[in-house]
């Protein structure tokens, strides 16, 4: 039988790594673990999946580079039939007000968080669409509570990139709903991963968490639970929706 393959972008650390491991265990799919630069972390995720009896393989690729996306999906094709994509790879930036942002910084934010997600989804749709001879499948996009909050005072550009992901999720869901592909989003709040240190504020999680409705940060595993549910057949009638995994942060009626 041809192996069913899930591509997890940014699967080497944080939410992506937790998703790769949980999906291997709960869905039994082979996991294509993409990473940008941290080969060691990606290999560790692969080794953990294999030790638990699953199938996984790591592939380097920067999702802001179209040629790298081709390489990621060629690697996945070598593993089997792509039936799932988690558009997880994402970056923050050091804090800057809008009037301090250069065109280069904005271009980098859109390239990774938005263009990368669009191009990866495009490759996934080419392989999954029943109209193109594929078996159908599921895509999950990582948005953020920041998209609702606007993140004034330093992260408006990040928030806007995730606002774009919200619209992209709805639009693509409707575009491919008749082609056997479901497209959904997961909206984390403050999750305890390395991303905050990458934005130059390693203590951000502790600073914000006490003031949250649930006064603690979330874990990568808690976000992975929602992602894997959306990928699974249990979510077979859900498309174009977003699950909030934010402990109550930025929820609205
Ligand atoms: P993280 O801990 O910083 O991990 C980022 C992952 O993405 C790593 O595997 C990294 O690979 C990979 N990556 C970074 N840039 C990449 C690129 N250009 N191409 C391919 N892979 C790339 O991040 P996280 O906190 O798990 O966040 C995952 C997603 O959730 C992001 O989209 C983020 O915006 C979203 N999110 C996170 C939070 C939070 O509080 N943590 C809240 C809301 C939304 P290497 O290991 O090789 O560097």
């Amino acid at each position: 039988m041809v192996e069913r393959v899930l591509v997890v972008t940014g699967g080497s650390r944080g939410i992506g790594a937790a998703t790769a491991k949980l999906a291997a265990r709960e869905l039994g799919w082979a996991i294509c673990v993409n990473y940008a630069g941290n080969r060691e972390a990606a290999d560790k995720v692969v080794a953990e999946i294999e030790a638990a009896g699953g199938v996984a393989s790591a592939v380097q690729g920067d999702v802001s580079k179209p040629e790298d996306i081709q390489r990621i999906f060629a690697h996945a094709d070598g593993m089997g039939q792509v039936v799932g994509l988690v558009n997880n790879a994402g970056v923050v930036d050091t804090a800057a007000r809008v009037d301090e942002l250069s065109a280069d910084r904005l271009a980098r934010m859109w390239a990774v968080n938005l263009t990368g997600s669009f191009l990866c989804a495009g490759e996934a749709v080419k392989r999954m669409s029943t109209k193109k001879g594929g078996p159908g499948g599921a895509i999950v996009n990582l948005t953020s509570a920041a998209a609702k909050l606007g993140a004034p005072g330093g992260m408006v550009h990040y928030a806007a990139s995730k606002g774009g992901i919200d619209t992209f999720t709805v639009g693509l869901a409707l575009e491919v709903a008749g082609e056997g592909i479901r497209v959904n989003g997961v909206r984390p709040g403050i999750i305890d991963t390395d991303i905050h240190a990458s934005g130059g504020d390693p203590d951000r999680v502790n600073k914000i968490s006490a003031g949250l409705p649930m006064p603690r940060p979330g874990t990568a595993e808690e976000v992975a639970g929602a992602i894997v549910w959306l990928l699974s057949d249990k979510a077979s009638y859900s498309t174009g929706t977003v699950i909030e995994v934010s402990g109550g942060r930025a929820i609205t009626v």
Side-chain angles (χ1 to χ4, degrees), residues 10 12-13 15 36-38 61-63 88 143 158 162 189 191 193 196:
S12 46
R13 289 183 291 120
I15 294 166
N38 198 334
D62 178 341
V63 297
N88 167 78
T143 176
Y158 172 74
K162 294 300 185 178
I191 310 300
T193 71
H196 309 285

Side-chain angles (χ1 to χ4, degrees), residues 9-17 34-39 41-42 60-65 68 72 87-92 108 111-113 141-146 158 161-162 186-196 198 204-205 218 220 223 245:
T9 66
S12 46
R13 289 183 291 120
I15 294 166
N34 159 247
Y35 66 99
N38 198 334
R39 168 104 221 179
Q60 192 279 330
D62 178 341
V63 297
S64 73
K65 296 182 179 162
D68 285 18
I72 295 165
N87 263 325
N88 167 78
V91 288
V92 292
R108 174 73 186 154
V112 177
N113 290 7
N141 297 322
L142 268 294
T143 176
S144 171
Y158 172 74
S161 76
K162 294 300 185 178
V186 169
R187 188 187 314 285
I190 301 294
I191 310 300
D192 194 1
T193 71
D194 298 342
I195 203 168
H196 309 285
S198 326
R204 184 165 180 267
V205 168
V223 183
V245 188

Side-chain angles (χ1 to χ4, degrees), residues 97-150:
R97 284 168 48 100
V98 170
D99 54 12
E100 295 164 345
L101 284 168
S102 66
D104 283 350
R105 283 177 73 167
L106 289 171
R108 174 73 186 154
M109 184 63 76
W110 313 148
V112 177
N113 290 7
L114 269 174
T115 307
S117 295
F118 265 73
L119 292 179
C120 286
E123 290 305 314
V125 167
K126 284 178 200 163
R127 288 158 174 82
M128 294 174 184
S129 170
T130 52
K131 276 200 180 150
K132 297 174 190 288
I139 296 173
V140 177
N141 297 322
L142 268 294
T143 176
S144 171
K148 288 180 168 183
L149 296 168

Side-chain angles (χ1 to χ4, degrees), residues 4-37:
R4 285 175 294 177
V5 179
L6 171 67
V7 177
V8 182
T9 66
S12 46
R13 289 183 291 120
I15 294 166
T19 300
K21 290 185 261 185
L22 188 67
R25 197 162 69 237
E26 291 206 349
L27 304 176
W29 298 350
I31 315 295
C32 179
V33 179
N34 159 247
Y35 66 99

